[in-house]
Amino acid sequence: METEVPSKLLSTLSQAADIVRGHNFIQVFSHYDADGVSAAAIIAKTLMRAGKEFRVTLFTTLNDMNMETIRHTKAECMIVTDLGASYIDKFDEMSCDIVVLDHHTVISEAKRICYANPHLYGIDGMVAGCGATMAFLFSITMDENNWDLVQIAFAGIAGDRQHINGLSGLNTYLLKEGTRRGFIEEMPGSLIPAGDLMTELFVGTDPYIRGVSGNTDGVAAILADAGIGHGKSYMDLTDDERRRLSSLIAVKLTQQGMQLSSMNEIARNRYYLKGMKMDAEQLSSILNSCGRAGIGGIGIAAGMGDERALTHGYEITKDSAQELVGHMVELDSRGLNQMEHIQWFDSSTSGFTGMLCGIAMQSIGDYRKPTIGVNGSNDPINLSSRGMWTQLDNGVDLAVAMREACASVGGEGGGHRIAAGGSIPADRLDDFLKKLDEIIGQQQVKTSN
């Protein structure tokens, strides 16, 4: 482990393991998305194997209100995964033992608590190590026999899309060792979805294919054009059929304005979890759907390998994929609201804000402008933002932009350069959008000078 994992990180993880070993009961807090649920499942399995008692609580975000909940939780030891970077100073003020395993942009370094974050060791937490990566590294520090949990870590890596342009940093170490130990198999990707083609092309949003996704006639037509009969799955296709279908999909995506870089991202390598007999992205979807449906406990159990929980999670994933594609078709027909430097949409009736934001950015949006999703179903309003790598090259930093724009209207925000979130008072949306548009414009001006 010495070569690929910085020695300073190893010593922080050893310190974290010692802290946890000294307690019988541990309270775990994590995020409710695929990465957060994966991280929580890894920690839960680790604590269970170590004979510890524990309780897990999932949050949709870490804000002042949830921080109050944490403050009033009676526990002598806490582990916080995939959350916490913005609140390190607040954790430092608490008196119990706290381990934070996060990968979001570092705001401050810890003075008292045990804090491990890739950014602290010169590793980019946006692409080279997610919450589940950090939870997994903690897990094998607790006990080398936990290497099988690398499979759950890959669901987190896939959930945070850290495999999109190839793995890097800490994730590379997980792949190399996970493959060597027989838990992970890397497979070449394709524009064609895995699984039954009729179903997957209909519910698929990665990519979202205009006129095919969410459209039974469109699915039948593209398969007929490719000369593929009904009832076939990706694995059943001949090389010729794969080539024909792949080309037809590529043509449609090009016509709707998708960039070649995005198509390459979609045809990314896949990671097969041998012990769980599924693709990392499939497990990731199950955990994500459970977290978002408010049944995070089932998601954690599914991540831990419970068969009944996995079956339940799979059913919910199918339902939510159908719902998601319906909302995406509706958003596509409505279009995005264009401002000078950003584009935005209202998703108050759907609730799939972050996911729609990512799909819209990649599949139907103006590739030069970050996309913002606005969910005003509650006060405060919840916000999601997504960018493209080319935007980052032009100076866009959504972590900074969202933090500043949210703060300017009395809200809070943060995240990564390419994907960030936030919440703002319901009556300040227009002011926020105006401010964000201005900040993104300034960020791009700075790099062009």
Side-chain angles (χ1 to χ4, degrees):
M1 195 150 141
E2 277 65 30
T3 47
E4 283 95 343
V5 183
S7 56
K8 275 186 177 167
L9 170 53
L10 286 177
S11 58
T12 306
L13 292 169
S14 297
Q15 186 196 340
D18 287 340
I19 290 170
V20 172
R21 285 190 192 107
H23 293 276
N24 294 321
F25 173 79
I26 290 97
Q27 167 68 51
V28 183
F29 292 104
S30 195
H31 195 213
Y32 81 134
D33 68 358
D35 185 26
V37 176
S38 303
I42 291 167
I43 298 294
K45 197 86 170 175
T46 305
L47 295 174
M48 196 167 82
R49 287 175 176 177
K52 304 290 181 188
E53 289 189 16
F54 60 90
R55 180 177 58 210
V56 183
T57 306
L58 299 179
F59 289 133
T60 53
T61 181
L62 190 53
N63 53 23
D64 292 342
M65 194 171 71
N66 290 337
M67 200 60 213
E68 274 305 298
T69 304
I70 293 176
R71 232 183 246 113
H72 290 100
T73 300
K74 287 184 171 42
E76 287 173 12
C77 180
M78 296 181 181
I79 300 178
V80 183
T81 54
D82 195 32
L83 289 171
S86 327
Y87 282 86
I88 295 302
D89 50 345
K90 299 279 192 294
F91 285 119
D92 266 337
E93 290 165 11
M94 291 168 63
S95 58
C96 59
D97 282 341
I98 298 175
V99 172
V100 173
L101 305 167
D102 196 8
H103 68 118
H104 294 96
T105 309
V106 169
I107 308 295
S108 54
E109 295 195 24
K111 295 180 180 64
R112 185 190 73 81
I113 65 161
C114 184
Y115 178 30
N117 183 322
H119 291 284
L120 295 169
Y121 315 97
I123 297 165
D124 188 350
M126 183 176 77
V127 291
C130 62
T133 308
M134 300 307 283
F136 173 73
L137 292 174
F138 163 80
S139 178
I140 54 170
T141 308
M142 278 285 284
D143 187 343
E144 267 285 319
N145 293 321
N146 287 334
W147 260 101
D148 59 325
L149 306 185
V150 72
Q151 299 175 90
I152 316 175
F154 264 84
I157 292 167
D160 266 12
R161 301 177 75 75
Q162 294 199 342
H163 62 318
I164 291 290
N165 292 309
L167 297 175
S168 62
L170 299 169
N171 295 335
T172 315
Y173 169 68
L174 267 60
L175 174 66
K176 193 178 96 181
E177 282 298 308
T179 305
R180 188 175 73 78
R181 291 163 191 262
F183 296 117
I184 307 281
E185 187 185 345
E186 190 171 18
M187 293 154 74
S190 166
L191 283 178
I192 305 167
D196 173 68
L197 293 174
M198 289 294 287
T199 311
E200 297 306 323
L201 285 168
F202 179 79
V203 297
T205 46
D206 185 23
Y208 168 76
I209 312 166
R210 187 175 286 155
V212 175
S213 303
N215 183 328
T216 37
D217 295 341
V219 172
I222 198 169
L223 288 175
D225 287 353
I228 296 168
H230 287 205
K232 284 201 172 184
S233 83
Y234 175 75
M235 300 306 271
D236 305 326
L237 301 180
T238 64
D239 287 349
D240 264 358
E241 287 173 332
R242 276 180 199 177
R243 258 196 300 276
R244 285 199 299 270
L245 184 54
S246 215
S247 313
L248 287 166
I249 292 172
V251 167
K252 282 190 175 292
L253 295 175
T254 307
Q255 284 169 346
Q256 72 193 51
M258 185 182 276
Q259 299 299 291
L260 183 60
S261 60
S262 293
M263 282 191 238
N264 290 334
E265 284 177 14
I266 288 158
R268 60 192 168 265
N269 283 358
R270 310 278 162 170
Y271 300 93
Y272 186 70
L273 315 177
K274 290 177 158 181
M276 301 188 85
K277 297 188 170 55
M278 66 172 81
D279 183 91
E281 295 192 20
Q282 207 178 349
L283 180 59
S284 168
S285 297
I286 289 173
L287 305 192
N288 195 49
S289 301
C290 289
R292 285 172 192 283
I295 50 167
I298 300 220
I300 292 165
M304 291 167 80
D306 182 276
E307 286 299 332
R308 273 172 47 204
L310 276 164
T311 306
H312 187 43
Y314 180 66
E315 289 306 318
I316 286 172
T317 307
K318 272 202 320 205
D319 294 346
S320 93
Q322 266 188 303
E323 215 183 315
L324 177 63
V325 78
H327 287 301
M328 190 56 214
V329 170
E330 194 264 327
L331 176 59
D332 189 16
S333 64
R334 200 169 19 125
L336 303 174
N337 304 303
Q338 298 294 333
M339 293 176 72
E340 197 175 346
H341 306 289
I342 61 171
Q343 52 199 347
W344 68 279
F345 65 94
D346 187 320
S347 74
S348 303
T349 53
S350 80
F352 287 96
T353 319
M355 294 165 89
L356 287 171
C357 203
I359 300 161
M361 179 73 268
Q362 196 179 47
S363 304
I364 64 165
D366 180 336
Y367 68 93
R368 293 162 299 199
K369 302 176 183 179
T371 304
I372 319 301
V374 176
N375 184 346
S377 57
N378 291 311
D379 189 1
I381 286 176
N382 277 324
L383 305 160
S384 287
S385 68
R386 297 289 184 275
M388 307 263 284
W389 296 104
T390 46
Q391 295 166 14
L392 268 53
D393 294 342
N394 290 334
V396 168
D397 183 334
L398 288 171
V400 171
M402 288 293 281
R403 192 165 67 237
E404 289 178 2
C406 288
S408 76
V409 297
E412 50 207 37
H416 303 293
R417 285 178 300 144
I418 202 163
S423 57
I424 55 166
D427 57 352
R428 300 297 304 276
L429 177 61
D430 289 347
D431 298 334
F432 161 78
L433 290 168
K434 209 174 292 174
K435 183 67 180 172
L436 184 66
D437 194 49
E438 187 185 303
I439 294 169
I440 297 290
Q442 286 164 352
Q443 286 180 341
Q444 289 167 310
V445 166
K446 273 185 198 152
T447 49
S448 57
N449 287 345

